[in-house]
Short mmCIF file of all heavy atoms in Angstrom, two decimals:
data_model
loop_
_atom_site.label_atom_id
_atom_site.label_comp_id
_atom_site.label_asym_id
_atom_site.label_seq_id
_atom_site.Cartn_x
_atom_site.Cartn_y
_atom_site.Cartn_z
N TYR A 5 1.83 10.69 3.50
CA TYR A 5 2.05 11.30 4.80
C TYR A 5 1.73 12.79 4.72
O TYR A 5 2.43 13.55 4.03
CB TYR A 5 3.50 11.06 5.23
CG TYR A 5 3.84 11.61 6.59
CD1 TYR A 5 3.60 10.87 7.75
CD2 TYR A 5 4.40 12.88 6.72
CE1 TYR A 5 3.92 11.37 8.99
CE2 TYR A 5 4.72 13.39 7.98
CZ TYR A 5 4.47 12.63 9.11
OH TYR A 5 4.79 13.13 10.35
N ASP A 7 1.34 14.85 7.59
CA ASP A 7 1.41 15.23 9.00
C ASP A 7 2.77 15.87 9.30
O ASP A 7 3.37 15.63 10.34
CB ASP A 7 1.17 13.98 9.86
CG ASP A 7 0.71 14.32 11.28
OD1 ASP A 7 0.36 15.50 11.53
OD2 ASP A 7 0.73 13.42 12.14
N ALA A 10 3.70 17.61 12.51
CA ALA A 10 3.98 16.77 13.68
C ALA A 10 5.43 16.29 13.65
O ALA A 10 6.12 16.29 14.67
CB ALA A 10 3.03 15.58 13.72
N ALA A 11 5.89 15.86 12.47
CA ALA A 11 7.27 15.40 12.34
C ALA A 11 7.63 15.30 10.87
O ALA A 11 6.77 15.02 10.04
CB ALA A 11 7.45 14.04 13.00
N THR A 12 8.88 15.56 10.59
CA THR A 12 9.40 15.42 9.23
C THR A 12 10.51 14.37 9.23
O THR A 12 11.17 14.18 10.25
CB THR A 12 10.00 16.76 8.73
OG1 THR A 12 10.90 17.24 9.73
CG2 THR A 12 8.92 17.80 8.49
N PRO A 13 10.70 13.69 8.11
CA PRO A 13 11.86 12.79 8.04
C PRO A 13 13.14 13.60 8.00
O PRO A 13 13.14 14.76 7.61
CB PRO A 13 11.64 12.05 6.72
CG PRO A 13 10.83 12.98 5.89
CD PRO A 13 9.96 13.75 6.84
N VAL A 14 14.25 12.98 8.41
CA VAL A 14 15.54 13.64 8.24
C VAL A 14 15.95 13.48 6.78
O VAL A 14 15.92 12.37 6.24
CB VAL A 14 16.60 13.01 9.17
CG1 VAL A 14 17.98 13.61 8.93
CG2 VAL A 14 16.19 13.21 10.63
N LYS A 23 26.44 11.69 9.90
CA LYS A 23 27.00 10.35 10.11
C LYS A 23 28.44 10.30 10.64
O LYS A 23 28.71 9.55 11.58
CB LYS A 23 26.87 9.52 8.83
CG LYS A 23 25.72 8.54 8.91
CD LYS A 23 25.56 7.78 7.62
CE LYS A 23 26.10 6.37 7.72
NZ LYS A 23 25.81 5.62 6.47
N TYR A 26 28.93 10.40 14.43
CA TYR A 26 28.56 9.27 15.27
C TYR A 26 29.74 8.34 15.49
O TYR A 26 29.92 7.81 16.57
CB TYR A 26 27.42 8.47 14.63
CG TYR A 26 26.09 9.15 14.71
CD1 TYR A 26 25.40 9.53 13.56
CD2 TYR A 26 25.50 9.39 15.94
CE1 TYR A 26 24.17 10.15 13.64
CE2 TYR A 26 24.26 10.02 16.03
CZ TYR A 26 23.60 10.39 14.87
OH TYR A 26 22.39 11.01 14.97
N PHE A 30 33.74 11.47 16.86
CA PHE A 30 32.77 11.36 17.95
C PHE A 30 33.21 12.04 19.24
O PHE A 30 32.49 12.02 20.24
CB PHE A 30 32.52 9.87 18.24
CG PHE A 30 33.74 9.18 18.77
CD1 PHE A 30 34.03 9.22 20.13
CD2 PHE A 30 34.62 8.54 17.92
CE1 PHE A 30 35.18 8.60 20.62
CE2 PHE A 30 35.77 7.94 18.41
CZ PHE A 30 36.05 7.97 19.76
N ASN A 32 34.34 14.51 22.40
CA ASN A 32 33.63 15.52 23.16
C ASN A 32 34.21 16.89 22.80
O ASN A 32 35.43 17.09 22.90
CB ASN A 32 33.83 15.23 24.65
CG ASN A 32 32.92 16.06 25.53
OD1 ASN A 32 32.75 17.25 25.30
ND2 ASN A 32 32.34 15.43 26.53
N SER A 35 36.94 18.37 24.93
CA SER A 35 38.28 17.78 25.04
C SER A 35 39.28 18.65 24.30
O SER A 35 39.00 19.13 23.20
CB SER A 35 38.28 16.36 24.46
OG SER A 35 37.45 15.51 25.22
N HIS A 37 42.27 17.75 23.13
CA HIS A 37 43.09 17.09 22.11
C HIS A 37 42.50 17.32 20.71
O HIS A 37 41.41 17.89 20.58
CB HIS A 37 43.24 15.59 22.42
CG HIS A 37 41.95 14.89 22.73
ND1 HIS A 37 40.93 14.77 21.81
CD2 HIS A 37 41.52 14.28 23.86
CE1 HIS A 37 39.93 14.11 22.36
NE2 HIS A 37 40.26 13.81 23.60
N ALA A 38 43.25 16.88 19.69
CA ALA A 38 42.86 17.18 18.31
C ALA A 38 41.47 16.65 17.96
O ALA A 38 40.71 17.32 17.24
CB ALA A 38 43.90 16.61 17.35
N THR A 73 10.66 22.44 22.53
CA THR A 73 10.07 22.60 23.87
C THR A 73 11.11 23.12 24.87
O THR A 73 10.82 24.02 25.65
CB THR A 73 9.49 21.24 24.35
OG1 THR A 73 8.37 20.92 23.52
CG2 THR A 73 9.05 21.30 25.80
N ASN A 77 10.95 26.63 26.91
CA ASN A 77 11.05 26.64 28.38
C ASN A 77 12.22 27.51 28.84
O ASN A 77 12.09 28.29 29.79
CB ASN A 77 11.23 25.21 28.91
CG ASN A 77 9.92 24.47 29.12
OD1 ASN A 77 9.43 24.37 30.23
ND2 ASN A 77 9.33 23.95 28.06
N LYS A 81 11.14 30.68 31.03
CA LYS A 81 11.57 30.57 32.43
C LYS A 81 12.86 31.35 32.64
O LYS A 81 13.05 31.99 33.67
CB LYS A 81 11.78 29.10 32.80
CG LYS A 81 10.49 28.29 32.81
CD LYS A 81 10.76 26.82 33.11
CE LYS A 81 9.49 26.00 32.96
NZ LYS A 81 9.76 24.55 32.93
N GLU A 106 1.86 25.74 28.87
CA GLU A 106 2.14 24.99 30.10
C GLU A 106 3.28 25.62 30.89
O GLU A 106 3.30 25.58 32.12
CB GLU A 106 2.45 23.52 29.78
CG GLU A 106 1.27 22.74 29.21
CD GLU A 106 0.12 22.60 30.19
OE1 GLU A 106 0.39 22.43 31.39
OE2 GLU A 106 -1.05 22.67 29.75
N TYR A 110 2.87 27.03 34.60
CA TYR A 110 3.79 26.64 35.67
C TYR A 110 4.32 27.87 36.41
O TYR A 110 4.35 27.91 37.64
CB TYR A 110 4.95 25.82 35.08
CG TYR A 110 6.08 25.59 36.05
CD1 TYR A 110 5.95 24.67 37.08
CD2 TYR A 110 7.28 26.30 35.93
CE1 TYR A 110 6.99 24.45 37.98
CE2 TYR A 110 8.31 26.08 36.83
CZ TYR A 110 8.17 25.17 37.85
OH TYR A 110 9.19 24.97 38.74
N TYR A 114 3.83 28.44 40.25
CA TYR A 114 4.99 28.27 41.15
C TYR A 114 6.01 29.42 41.09
O TYR A 114 6.89 29.49 41.92
CB TYR A 114 5.75 26.98 40.81
CG TYR A 114 4.99 25.71 41.06
CD1 TYR A 114 4.37 25.02 40.02
CD2 TYR A 114 4.91 25.19 42.35
CE1 TYR A 114 3.69 23.83 40.25
CE2 TYR A 114 4.23 24.00 42.59
CZ TYR A 114 3.62 23.33 41.54
OH TYR A 114 2.96 22.17 41.77
N LYS A 209 15.32 14.78 15.23
CA LYS A 209 14.58 14.95 16.49
C LYS A 209 15.60 15.18 17.62
O LYS A 209 16.78 14.84 17.49
CB LYS A 209 13.77 13.69 16.80
CG LYS A 209 12.57 13.51 15.88
CD LYS A 209 11.70 12.36 16.35
CE LYS A 209 10.48 12.20 15.46
NZ LYS A 209 10.84 11.85 14.07
N ARG A 221 19.88 38.73 29.64
CA ARG A 221 20.28 37.77 30.66
C ARG A 221 19.19 36.72 30.88
O ARG A 221 18.02 37.05 31.01
CB ARG A 221 20.59 38.50 31.98
CG ARG A 221 21.42 37.61 32.90
CD ARG A 221 21.93 38.35 34.13
NE ARG A 221 22.01 37.40 35.22
CZ ARG A 221 21.11 37.27 36.18
NH1 ARG A 221 20.06 38.08 36.25
NH2 ARG A 221 21.24 36.34 37.11
N ILE A 223 18.43 32.92 33.11
CA ILE A 223 18.85 31.90 34.06
C ILE A 223 18.71 30.56 33.33
O ILE A 223 17.65 30.26 32.79
CB ILE A 223 17.96 31.91 35.32
CG1 ILE A 223 18.01 33.27 36.02
CG2 ILE A 223 18.35 30.77 36.26
CD1 ILE A 223 19.14 33.48 36.96
N LEU A 225 18.26 26.57 32.38
CA LEU A 225 17.45 25.46 32.89
C LEU A 225 18.33 24.32 33.37
O LEU A 225 18.00 23.62 34.31
CB LEU A 225 16.57 24.88 31.78
CG LEU A 225 15.32 25.60 31.35
CD1 LEU A 225 14.65 24.81 30.23
CD2 LEU A 225 14.38 25.76 32.53
N LEU A 226 19.43 24.11 32.63
CA LEU A 226 20.31 22.97 32.90
C LEU A 226 21.66 23.49 33.38
O LEU A 226 22.33 24.23 32.66
CB LEU A 226 20.49 22.13 31.63
CG LEU A 226 19.21 21.59 31.00
CD1 LEU A 226 19.54 20.74 29.78
CD2 LEU A 226 18.40 20.77 32.00
N HIS A 227 22.03 23.09 34.58
CA HIS A 227 23.31 23.49 35.15
C HIS A 227 24.31 22.36 35.06
O HIS A 227 23.95 21.20 35.16
CB HIS A 227 23.12 23.93 36.60
CG HIS A 227 22.32 25.19 36.73
ND1 HIS A 227 20.94 25.18 36.73
CD2 HIS A 227 22.69 26.48 36.79
CE1 HIS A 227 20.50 26.43 36.83
NE2 HIS A 227 21.55 27.25 36.87
N GLY A 228 25.58 22.70 34.91
CA GLY A 228 26.61 21.68 34.83
C GLY A 228 27.89 22.22 34.24
O GLY A 228 28.42 23.23 34.71
N SER A 237 24.03 23.56 29.82
CA SER A 237 25.07 22.59 30.13
C SER A 237 24.70 21.21 29.60
O SER A 237 23.53 20.88 29.43
CB SER A 237 25.28 22.52 31.65
OG SER A 237 25.93 23.69 32.09
N GLY A 238 25.73 20.40 29.39
CA GLY A 238 25.55 19.06 28.84
C GLY A 238 26.41 18.93 27.60
O GLY A 238 26.51 19.88 26.83
N GLU A 240 27.63 18.65 24.09
CA GLU A 240 26.96 19.04 22.86
C GLU A 240 26.61 17.81 22.03
O GLU A 240 27.45 16.94 21.83
CB GLU A 240 27.85 19.97 22.03
CG GLU A 240 28.21 21.29 22.69
CD GLU A 240 29.46 21.19 23.56
OE1 GLU A 240 29.86 20.06 23.93
OE2 GLU A 240 30.04 22.24 23.88
N SER A 315 -5.92 6.29 7.98
CA SER A 315 -4.68 5.59 8.30
C SER A 315 -4.71 4.16 7.74
O SER A 315 -3.72 3.67 7.20
CB SER A 315 -4.46 5.59 9.81
OG SER A 315 -3.34 4.81 10.16
N VAL A 321 -2.85 11.73 8.62
CA VAL A 321 -3.19 13.12 8.92
C VAL A 321 -3.46 13.22 10.42
O VAL A 321 -3.40 12.23 11.14
CB VAL A 321 -4.45 13.58 8.13
CG1 VAL A 321 -4.25 13.35 6.64
CG2 VAL A 321 -5.70 12.86 8.62
N TYR B 5 42.77 6.48 20.94
CA TYR B 5 41.82 7.28 21.70
C TYR B 5 41.66 6.69 23.10
O TYR B 5 41.15 5.57 23.25
CB TYR B 5 40.48 7.30 20.95
CG TYR B 5 39.41 8.14 21.62
CD1 TYR B 5 39.33 9.51 21.36
CD2 TYR B 5 38.49 7.57 22.49
CE1 TYR B 5 38.33 10.28 21.97
CE2 TYR B 5 37.51 8.32 23.10
CZ TYR B 5 37.44 9.69 22.83
OH TYR B 5 36.46 10.44 23.43
N ASP B 7 40.07 8.43 25.75
CA ASP B 7 39.27 9.46 26.41
C ASP B 7 37.80 9.04 26.43
O ASP B 7 36.89 9.85 26.22
CB ASP B 7 39.46 10.80 25.67
CG ASP B 7 39.12 12.01 26.52
OD1 ASP B 7 38.95 11.84 27.76
OD2 ASP B 7 39.01 13.10 25.96
N ALA B 10 35.05 10.79 28.33
CA ALA B 10 34.55 12.05 27.78
C ALA B 10 33.50 11.78 26.71
O ALA B 10 32.45 12.44 26.67
CB ALA B 10 35.69 12.87 27.18
N ALA B 11 33.75 10.82 25.85
CA ALA B 11 32.79 10.47 24.79
C ALA B 11 33.18 9.14 24.19
O ALA B 11 34.36 8.81 24.10
CB ALA B 11 32.76 11.55 23.71
N THR B 12 32.18 8.41 23.77
CA THR B 12 32.40 7.14 23.07
C THR B 12 31.79 7.24 21.68
O THR B 12 30.83 8.00 21.49
CB THR B 12 31.70 5.98 23.83
OG1 THR B 12 30.35 6.36 24.08
CG2 THR B 12 32.40 5.68 25.14
N PRO B 13 32.30 6.49 20.73
CA PRO B 13 31.65 6.46 19.42
C PRO B 13 30.34 5.69 19.53
O PRO B 13 30.18 4.88 20.44
CB PRO B 13 32.64 5.70 18.54
CG PRO B 13 33.42 4.84 19.50
CD PRO B 13 33.49 5.60 20.78
N VAL B 14 29.42 5.96 18.62
CA VAL B 14 28.20 5.16 18.56
C VAL B 14 28.57 3.84 17.87
O VAL B 14 29.17 3.85 16.79
CB VAL B 14 27.09 5.90 17.78
CG1 VAL B 14 25.86 5.01 17.63
CG2 VAL B 14 26.72 7.18 18.51
N LYS B 23 18.89 4.05 12.44
CA LYS B 23 18.73 4.61 11.09
C LYS B 23 17.30 4.65 10.54
O LYS B 23 16.88 5.69 10.02
CB LYS B 23 19.66 3.90 10.12
CG LYS B 23 20.91 4.71 9.83
CD LYS B 23 21.85 3.98 8.90
CE LYS B 23 21.75 4.48 7.48
NZ LYS B 23 22.79 3.80 6.64
N TYR B 26 15.17 7.71 11.39
CA TYR B 26 15.45 9.01 10.79
C TYR B 26 14.65 9.22 9.51
O TYR B 26 14.17 10.32 9.25
CB TYR B 26 16.94 9.14 10.45
CG TYR B 26 17.82 9.34 11.65
CD1 TYR B 26 18.78 8.40 11.99
CD2 TYR B 26 17.69 10.48 12.43
CE1 TYR B 26 19.60 8.59 13.09
CE2 TYR B 26 18.51 10.67 13.52
CZ TYR B 26 19.45 9.73 13.85
OH TYR B 26 20.25 9.92 14.94
N PHE B 30 9.73 7.90 10.76
CA PHE B 30 10.08 9.18 11.38
C PHE B 30 8.93 9.87 12.10
O PHE B 30 9.10 10.95 12.65
CB PHE B 30 10.62 10.12 10.29
CG PHE B 30 9.56 10.49 9.29
CD1 PHE B 30 8.69 11.53 9.53
CD2 PHE B 30 9.41 9.76 8.13
CE1 PHE B 30 7.69 11.85 8.62
CE2 PHE B 30 8.42 10.08 7.21
CZ PHE B 30 7.55 11.12 7.46
N ASN B 32 5.80 11.21 14.49
CA ASN B 32 5.75 11.66 15.88
C ASN B 32 5.00 10.60 16.71
O ASN B 32 3.88 10.24 16.37
CB ASN B 32 5.02 13.00 15.93
CG ASN B 32 5.14 13.68 17.26
OD1 ASN B 32 5.04 13.04 18.31
ND2 ASN B 32 5.35 14.98 17.24
N SER B 35 1.31 10.99 17.30
CA SER B 35 0.31 10.91 16.23
C SER B 35 -0.46 9.61 16.33
O SER B 35 0.13 8.56 16.60
CB SER B 35 1.00 10.99 14.85
OG SER B 35 1.62 12.25 14.68
N HIS B 37 -2.17 8.07 13.93
CA HIS B 37 -2.20 7.22 12.73
C HIS B 37 -1.16 6.11 12.84
O HIS B 37 -0.34 6.10 13.77
CB HIS B 37 -2.01 8.06 11.47
CG HIS B 37 -0.86 9.00 11.51
ND1 HIS B 37 0.44 8.59 11.63
CD2 HIS B 37 -0.82 10.37 11.48
CE1 HIS B 37 1.23 9.64 11.63
NE2 HIS B 37 0.50 10.74 11.57
N ALA B 38 -1.20 5.18 11.88
CA ALA B 38 -0.35 3.98 11.96
C ALA B 38 1.14 4.33 12.03
O ALA B 38 1.90 3.68 12.76
CB ALA B 38 -0.62 3.08 10.76
N THR B 73 23.23 15.29 31.90
CA THR B 73 23.08 16.54 32.64
C THR B 73 21.61 16.87 32.88
O THR B 73 21.22 17.26 33.98
CB THR B 73 23.77 17.69 31.86
OG1 THR B 73 25.18 17.46 31.88
CG2 THR B 73 23.46 19.05 32.47
N ASN B 77 19.75 17.23 36.48
CA ASN B 77 19.01 18.45 36.81
C ASN B 77 17.56 18.13 37.15
O ASN B 77 17.01 18.66 38.12
CB ASN B 77 19.06 19.44 35.65
CG ASN B 77 20.29 20.32 35.65
OD1 ASN B 77 20.25 21.46 36.09
ND2 ASN B 77 21.42 19.80 35.18
N LYS B 81 16.53 19.03 40.91
CA LYS B 81 15.57 20.14 40.98
C LYS B 81 14.15 19.61 41.12
O LYS B 81 13.33 20.17 41.86
CB LYS B 81 15.67 21.00 39.72
CG LYS B 81 17.00 21.73 39.60
CD LYS B 81 17.09 22.52 38.30
CE LYS B 81 18.49 23.12 38.14
NZ LYS B 81 18.72 23.60 36.75
N LYS B 102 30.09 18.15 37.71
CA LYS B 102 29.59 19.54 37.73
C LYS B 102 28.06 19.61 37.59
O LYS B 102 27.44 20.55 38.10
CB LYS B 102 30.22 20.34 36.58
CG LYS B 102 31.70 20.64 36.77
CD LYS B 102 31.92 21.78 37.73
CE LYS B 102 33.40 22.06 37.96
NZ LYS B 102 33.64 22.81 39.20
N ALA B 103 27.48 18.67 36.88
CA ALA B 103 26.02 18.71 36.69
C ALA B 103 25.31 18.63 38.04
O ALA B 103 24.27 19.26 38.25
CB ALA B 103 25.57 17.58 35.78
N GLU B 106 26.79 22.05 40.26
CA GLU B 106 26.24 23.34 39.80
C GLU B 106 24.73 23.40 40.04
O GLU B 106 24.18 24.47 40.31
CB GLU B 106 26.56 23.57 38.33
CG GLU B 106 28.05 23.75 38.03
CD GLU B 106 28.64 25.00 38.67
OE1 GLU B 106 27.94 26.02 38.72
OE2 GLU B 106 29.79 24.93 39.16
N TYR B 110 22.99 26.13 42.37
CA TYR B 110 21.86 26.93 41.89
C TYR B 110 20.72 26.89 42.90
O TYR B 110 20.13 27.93 43.24
CB TYR B 110 21.40 26.40 40.52
CG TYR B 110 20.08 26.97 40.07
CD1 TYR B 110 20.00 28.29 39.60
CD2 TYR B 110 18.91 26.22 40.12
CE1 TYR B 110 18.79 28.83 39.19
CE2 TYR B 110 17.70 26.75 39.71
CZ TYR B 110 17.64 28.05 39.26
OH TYR B 110 16.45 28.59 38.86
N LYS B 209 24.91 10.76 21.40
CA LYS B 209 24.91 11.99 22.19
C LYS B 209 23.48 12.55 22.22
O LYS B 209 22.66 12.22 21.37
CB LYS B 209 25.84 13.02 21.56
CG LYS B 209 27.32 12.67 21.69
CD LYS B 209 28.20 13.81 21.20
CE LYS B 209 29.67 13.47 21.41
NZ LYS B 209 30.12 12.29 20.61
N ARG B 221 7.32 11.82 43.56
CA ARG B 221 6.82 12.98 42.82
C ARG B 221 7.95 13.94 42.47
O ARG B 221 8.78 14.28 43.30
CB ARG B 221 5.75 13.72 43.65
CG ARG B 221 4.91 14.63 42.76
CD ARG B 221 3.71 15.23 43.49
NE ARG B 221 3.46 16.54 42.92
CZ ARG B 221 3.84 17.69 43.45
NH1 ARG B 221 4.44 17.72 44.62
NH2 ARG B 221 3.60 18.83 42.83
N ILE B 223 8.77 17.66 40.12
CA ILE B 223 8.29 18.77 39.29
C ILE B 223 9.15 18.74 38.02
O ILE B 223 10.37 18.72 38.10
CB ILE B 223 8.49 20.12 40.01
CG1 ILE B 223 7.71 20.16 41.33
CG2 ILE B 223 8.10 21.28 39.10
CD1 ILE B 223 6.28 20.53 41.25
N LEU B 225 11.17 19.71 34.56
CA LEU B 225 11.97 20.86 34.09
C LEU B 225 11.36 21.46 32.85
O LEU B 225 11.45 22.66 32.63
CB LEU B 225 13.38 20.40 33.71
CG LEU B 225 14.40 20.12 34.78
CD1 LEU B 225 15.70 19.68 34.11
CD2 LEU B 225 14.62 21.36 35.64
N LEU B 226 10.83 20.58 31.98
CA LEU B 226 10.32 21.02 30.69
C LEU B 226 8.81 20.79 30.64
O LEU B 226 8.35 19.67 30.79
CB LEU B 226 10.99 20.23 29.56
CG LEU B 226 12.52 20.29 29.50
CD1 LEU B 226 13.04 19.52 28.30
CD2 LEU B 226 13.00 21.75 29.43
N HIS B 227 8.08 21.88 30.44
CA HIS B 227 6.63 21.81 30.36
C HIS B 227 6.17 21.89 28.91
O HIS B 227 6.79 22.57 28.11
CB HIS B 227 6.01 22.93 31.19
CG HIS B 227 6.24 22.77 32.66
ND1 HIS B 227 7.40 23.21 33.26
CD2 HIS B 227 5.50 22.18 33.63
CE1 HIS B 227 7.34 22.92 34.56
NE2 HIS B 227 6.21 22.29 34.80
N GLY B 228 5.07 21.23 28.63
CA GLY B 228 4.55 21.27 27.26
C GLY B 228 3.58 20.15 27.00
O GLY B 228 2.60 19.98 27.74
N GLY B 238 8.12 17.39 25.18
CA GLY B 238 8.92 17.53 23.97
C GLY B 238 8.80 16.26 23.15
O GLY B 238 8.77 15.17 23.72
N GLU B 240 9.42 12.99 21.47
CA GLU B 240 10.41 11.98 21.80
C GLU B 240 11.46 11.88 20.68
O GLU B 240 11.11 11.82 19.51
CB GLU B 240 9.75 10.61 21.98
CG GLU B 240 8.76 10.53 23.12
CD GLU B 240 7.35 10.93 22.70
OE1 GLU B 240 7.18 11.58 21.65
OE2 GLU B 240 6.41 10.58 23.44
N SER B 315 48.62 14.52 21.76
CA SER B 315 47.65 14.69 20.68
C SER B 315 48.36 14.82 19.33
O SER B 315 47.92 14.26 18.32
CB SER B 315 46.79 15.93 20.96
OG SER B 315 45.94 16.21 19.88
N VAL B 321 44.11 11.87 25.22
CA VAL B 321 43.83 11.66 26.64
C VAL B 321 43.34 12.98 27.23
O VAL B 321 43.28 14.00 26.53
CB VAL B 321 45.09 11.17 27.40
CG1 VAL B 321 45.67 9.92 26.74
CG2 VAL B 321 46.15 12.26 27.47
#
Side-chain angles (χ1 to χ4, degrees):
Chain A
Y5 182 86
D7 201 12
T12 50
V14 175
K23 258 177 103 175
Y26 286 117
F30 66 85
N32 191 317
S35 295
H37 49 63
T73 293
N77 274 260
K81 293 177 186 166
E106 294 295 323
Y110 170 74
Y114 294 100
K209 289 188 178 63
R221 198 171 148 260
I223 301 275
L225 282 180
L226 303 181
H227 293 84
S237 288
E240 298 87 342
S315 174
V321 305
Chain B
Y5 182 86
D7 201 12
T12 51
V14 176
K23 260 178 101 175
Y26 286 117
F30 66 85
N32 191 318
S35 295
H37 49 63
T73 292
N77 274 261
K81 293 177 186 166
K102 289 282 178 200
E106 294 296 323
Y110 169 75
K209 290 187 177 63
R221 198 172 148 259
I223 300 276
L225 282 180
L226 303 182
H227 293 84
E240 297 88 342
S315 174
V321 305

